[in-house]
């Protein structure tokens, strides 16, 4: 009787582990990736706003972008997060567009 109960428990554990690996782990990965992306976007928006405040004057877009790019590369490296330069550039441009639209710059 104990062997049957033990086998039944083993089967249940195997099924539960299968369900966890099939559904829970991918869900957690997506959730963590989404949270990480949101955090990166918030950092970029802050860096873009800071660049607008720190670097003043017309035709300073290249300097501002360099400031944000350098800051973000340093921050992402410290946090152990890797994104491509293309992704970083797109996020920066998106943050600048949002700031210009919101702030009326």
């Amino acid at each position: 009787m104990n062997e049957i109960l033990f086998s039944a428990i083993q089967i249940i554990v195997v099924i539960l582990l299968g369900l966890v690996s099939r559904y829970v782990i991918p869900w957690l990965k997506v959730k963590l990736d989404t949270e990480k992306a949101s955090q990166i976007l918030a950092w970029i928006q802050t860096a873009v706003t800071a660049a607008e405040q720190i670097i003043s004057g017309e035709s300073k877009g290249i300097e501002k972008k360099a400031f944000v790019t350098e800051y973000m590369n340093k921050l992402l490296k410290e946090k152990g997060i890797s994104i491509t330069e293309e992704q970083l550039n797109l996020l920066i441009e998106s943050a600048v567009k949002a700031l210009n639209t919101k702030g009326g710059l």
Side-chain angles (χ1 to χ4, degrees), residues 50-61:
E52 288 292 328
Q53 293 296 316
I54 294 169
I55 304 169
S56 60
E58 302 224 358
S59 302
K60 298 286 187 170

Side-chain angles (χ1 to χ4, degrees), residues 48 52 64 92-105:
V48 166
E52 288 292 328
K64 292 175 184 178
I92 291 170
E93 292 300 326
S94 174
V96 168
K97 174 71 173 171
L99 180 67
N100 288 340
T101 301
K102 268 195 227 176
L105 296 175

Side-chain angles (χ1 to χ4, degrees), residues 16-71:
L16 288 175
L17 289 175
L19 290 173
V20 166
S21 66
R22 174 80 169 124
Y23 298 105
V24 175
I25 292 174
W27 176 78
L28 282 173
K29 186 172 189 225
V30 167
K31 182 164 176 56
L32 292 174
D33 287 346
T34 301
E35 289 176 6
K36 188 186 299 184
S38 296
Q39 185 64 55
I40 291 170
L41 185 56
W43 290 332
I44 288 174
Q45 289 170 338
T46 301
V48 166
T49 303
E52 288 292 328
Q53 293 296 316
I54 294 169
I55 304 169
S56 60
E58 302 224 358
S59 302
K60 298 286 187 170
I62 294 172
E63 289 178 42
K64 292 175 184 178
K65 187 170 183 180
F67 171 84
V68 174
T69 302
E70 182 180 330
Y71 172 79

